[in-house]
Amino acid sequence: MSLVLVTSIAIRLAALAWTLALIRRVRDWRLWCLAAMIALMAARQILTLAQSPQFWPLSVTAKLEELPGLAVSLLAFLVVVFLERMIAGARPAAERLKESEARYRDLVEHSRDMIQSVDPEGRLLFVNRAWADTLGYSPAEARKLTVSDIIHPDSWAHCAKAFEQVMSGRSLRNIEASFVAKDGRRIEVRGDVTCRVAEGGTLVTHGIFHDVTGAREKEKEQREHEARLTRARAQLDDALEAMSDGFALYDAEDRLVLCNERYREIYADSAEAIVPGATFEDILRFGAERGQYKEAVGRVEEWLAERMERHRNPGGMIEQRTGDGRWVRITERRTKDGGTIGVRADITELKLREAALRDSEAQVRLLLESAAEAVYGIDLQGCCTFANPACVELLGYRQVDDLLGQNMHELIHHTRVDGTPYPETECRIFQAFRRGEGVHVDDEVLWRADGGSFPAEYRAHPIRREGAVVGAVVTFTDITERRQAQAQLLQASKLATLGEMATGMAHELNQPLNVIAMAAVNALERIEAGDLDRDFLQLKLARIEKQVERAAGIIDHMRVFGRKADERPKPFDVQDAVIGALGLMGEQLRLQDIKVTTDFPRLRRQVSGHLVQFEQVVLNLLANARDAIDRRSGSPEGAAAAPREIGLTMEDDGVSDRIRLIVTDTGGGIPETALDRIFDPFFTTKEVGKGTGLGLSISYGIVTDMGGTIEAENVEGGARFTITLQVADGDAAL
């Protein structure tokens, strides 16, 4: 065996071993078959050579016929090497492709975009994780869906048309659609759709979409925000134009940004200079040089410097007079960015009203200061807010400042007529603003600075501002002279009454005098006859003494009745007044054949006033009743036809704080035309010369001074007078 043959066998063995190794690594069936064929050929050749007689013994000498075998062995080895190199080169490419596919799949799965593949029938072939998570489906659920299951009805027509275009080979960019999630949510998407040919020639659409729901909402919010801004700007413009005042905005460089039309109207002479971008100073100078500002006339530069200083340092309001006589109120404020907001209000009418108000106030003050009646005002705390000179003088003070701010109740109204304290809570002046109603009082006193008092008549009325009570105004006068005149008139009336009762009083006194005379004559006759019977004489003297006391009582009653009444009212019993009046006039009524009936309750409570004055009231009513009965009688026939009666009835239930005295007569009543005037002074229904017309007027004044009322009305057969009086404070049943 030659060396060539050995080499050939070695080469073939190496080729066989290498080929067998390749067979284990090859995955391509074609390469695997080729390698297997080469391995079989190499194995066959090695077996053939081993069985050849020339194989042994080994020789280093090569024969010429062995060279083709060696060439074949080398060729086979080279083929094996080529296959190994081809397989070695093919393996990294496959691995790289596999790795690339893995990376692509991983990229697709982890992409934030929604990726899908759809076949021509609309079935979903593939969806990535983002797609499944966004729509809420699992991959298994997604493979059972079609595009019609996920497209919102609003997008069906649009998406169907787009699908046709894509299937025809077009690629669509930035297509928008609405998907429906598993839970029914609407998902807005935007993306690209392309068409590719898959294995087997099938067309498949691939879509990559972005979830733009949030972006759509943001866009919607942005559009709504812009719309709101537009509406707000329009509303602002409308509001500025609707303002009755002028408005202007200047930026940090003092240039006009905007203003309303009213601003230009107020500064009509400068209107052409009031344009956006113009500086405040240029606009101001333009108007000043044309006489628009009255204060700038003749001193433009000086006025400009003063006005610009106020403009740069805005604070309070400025009142500006224009050249045409109008008044403008200026208000300026700084903005946060250094700009200036200016408001201009035309206050010409306000100035005119203020001037008119000042004139009116001056006129009112002149009237108050010229009034003879005292006037003062108080606030809700009762403190003096104003007083006229008559008030200051009447109260004995030196100047108005002595009263201003002082509590007027504590100063001039602190004590009642009877000297008892007058609590502020009971003050009738304060009722004017506490109850919101006016009061009229003429039975109280006011106190002077020197500590003295005087009877006063005052009226208090609430002061209202915008419907709310803010205080009261009080007017008062000193009625000392009036009270004196009333007292004189009352005294005269009482004397007149006494004069009218003279006949009755003479008869009343004549009875005890006759008894005295008869007793004295009887006693003298006994003495002259020498009969000094002690018991008889004592009896006659006792009768004389009793009649003297009776006459003295009548005279004392007449003296008390004729005396002037005390100033201060005192508690008294109404029954005492009625009994006293009957004591003076009862005999006269009896002589005139007039029956008097009385009905008094057992309960006896007192009222506050003057006993003698109220007795005068009862006498006046009795006298009027007597005269009415006489007039009605007129003749003996009339007297027989109508009863001659006067009734006096007192009503006191012991519960209410009122007592009533009712006087009735059978005198035919009061003429209907006279009822409304029956208490007027100097009005009478009697014949001329038989009445002064003051009796009922005086009676009315006495009763009202006591805080009571007196009313007149007609009843069957006559008239009825009802006097209602208030029970004295703290009075108990007697």
Side-chain angles (χ1 to χ4, degrees), residues 424-439:
E424 184 176 303
T425 55
E426 299 177 10
C427 178
R428 286 187 275 182
I429 292 176
F430 279 29
Q431 294 177 9
F433 58 81
R434 287 176 179 165
R435 299 181 182 177
E437 57 187 23
V439 296

Side-chain angles (χ1 to χ4, degrees), residues 58-326:
L58 180 64
S59 176
V60 293
T61 305
K63 297 180 179 180
L64 183 61
E65 59 271 16
E66 295 176 346
L67 291 175
L70 179 60
V72 172
S73 298
L74 289 174
L75 179 61
F77 183 77
L78 290 175
V79 170
V80 171
V81 171
F82 174 76
L83 286 175
E84 199 279 335
R85 290 281 185 259
M86 186 174 66
I87 292 171
R91 182 180 179 185
E95 292 177 354
R96 287 195 299 272
L97 178 61
K98 184 178 180 180
E99 292 174 357
S100 176
E101 288 178 351
R103 285 195 300 272
Y104 176 76
R105 181 172 293 277
D106 185 65
L107 180 64
V108 169
E109 283 296 327
H110 292 86
S111 174
R112 294 184 178 179
D113 294 333
M114 302 168 59
I115 301 175
Q116 68 180 32
S117 297
V118 181
D119 67 9
E121 284 72 30
R123 292 188 296 268
L124 290 170
L125 301 176
F126 168 79
V127 296
N128 69 341
R129 184 181 302 174
W131 191 99
D133 292 344
T134 302
L135 297 183
Y137 293 101
S138 66
E141 291 173 332
R143 285 192 292 271
K144 298 178 182 179
L145 300 174
T146 64
V147 290
S148 62
D149 295 327
I150 64 170
I151 295 177
H152 194 275
D154 293 346
S155 294
W156 280 349
H158 169 64
C159 289
K161 183 177 180 180
F163 188 73
E164 292 177 1
Q165 293 176 350
V166 172
M167 294 301 294
S168 66
R170 290 184 59 186
S171 295
L172 300 181
R173 304 293 182 186
N174 292 325
I175 184 173
E176 295 184 353
S178 297
F179 286 178
V180 179
K182 184 179 180 179
D183 59 6
R185 289 180 296 112
R186 181 168 180 164
I187 308 296
E188 303 294 336
V189 298
R190 180 189 297 125
D192 303 333
V193 181
T194 60
C195 183
R196 295 287 186 271
V197 179
E199 294 181 3
T202 303
L203 293 176
V204 177
T205 62
H206 300 282
I208 301 177
F209 299 100
H210 310 289
D211 182 359
V212 295
T213 304
R216 286 278 183 85
E217 292 177 354
K218 289 182 178 179
E219 291 175 0
K220 181 179 179 181
E221 291 177 358
Q222 181 66 22
R223 289 193 299 271
E224 291 176 352
H225 179 66
E226 291 175 355
R228 287 195 298 269
L229 288 178
T230 301
R231 289 195 300 270
R233 180 56 189 268
Q235 291 173 350
L236 176 60
D237 292 341
D238 291 342
L240 292 179
E241 292 301 328
M243 289 177 61
S244 59
D245 298 337
F247 176 88
L249 172 63
Y250 291 85
D251 61 18
E253 297 179 356
D254 215 17
R255 295 184 179 277
L256 181 65
V257 177
L258 60 90
C259 69
N260 61 359
E261 192 61 30
R262 181 57 178 158
Y263 189 85
R264 291 189 176 90
E265 291 175 358
I266 291 175
Y267 296 118
D269 294 341
S270 306
E272 59 182 284
I274 303 176
V275 294
T279 65
F280 178 79
E281 184 173 3
D282 290 343
I283 296 173
L284 202 64
R285 183 182 296 277
F286 187 90
E289 290 175 349
R290 285 158 178 76
Q292 182 164 286
Y293 310 106
K294 191 171 184 178
E295 296 178 355
V297 176
R299 48 188 294 271
V300 173
E301 295 300 327
E302 182 181 357
W303 180 83
L304 280 173
E306 295 173 356
R307 180 66 185 90
M308 288 303 298
E309 178 65 23
R310 296 287 297 272
H311 176 70
R312 295 188 185 98
N313 301 283
M317 293 184 295
I318 304 173
E319 291 187 352
Q320 187 179 77
R321 188 78 180 273
T322 62
D324 58 1
R326 291 180 298 108

Side-chain angles (χ1 to χ4, degrees), residues 371-376 388 390-396 412 440-448 450 452-459 474-486 567:
E373 192 172 41
V375 183
Y376 69 88
N388 69 344
C391 175
V392 175
E393 180 180 358
L394 192 56
L395 294 176
I412 68 171
H440 174 216
V441 178
D442 61 359
D443 60 352
E444 294 182 351
V445 296
L446 299 179
W447 297 83
R448 296 190 181 91
D450 59 5
S453 65
F454 60 90
E457 177 184 14
Y458 64 80
R459 287 177 170 82
V474 182
T475 62
F476 66 92
T477 56
D478 183 347
I479 59 173
T480 302
E481 294 182 358
R482 186 201 303 173
R483 286 290 175 84
Q484 292 174 350
Q486 288 176 344
E567 289 288 336

Side-chain angles (χ1 to χ4, degrees), residues 575 578-579 581-582 585-586 589-590 593-601 618 621-622 625 629 643-651 661-666 719 721:
Q575 290 189 33
V578 175
I579 293 171
L582 290 176
M585 200 171 181
L589 296 175
R590 186 182 65 81
D593 197 24
I594 296 176
K595 181 181 179 181
V596 178
T597 60
T598 59
D599 184 7
F600 297 151
V618 178
L621 295 179
L622 291 174
I629 291 172
R644 297 170 61 83
E645 295 180 359
I646 297 176
L648 294 103
T649 304
M650 282 191 61
E651 294 180 355
L661 173 63
I662 303 172
V663 180
T664 59
D665 63 54
T666 57
F721 287 81

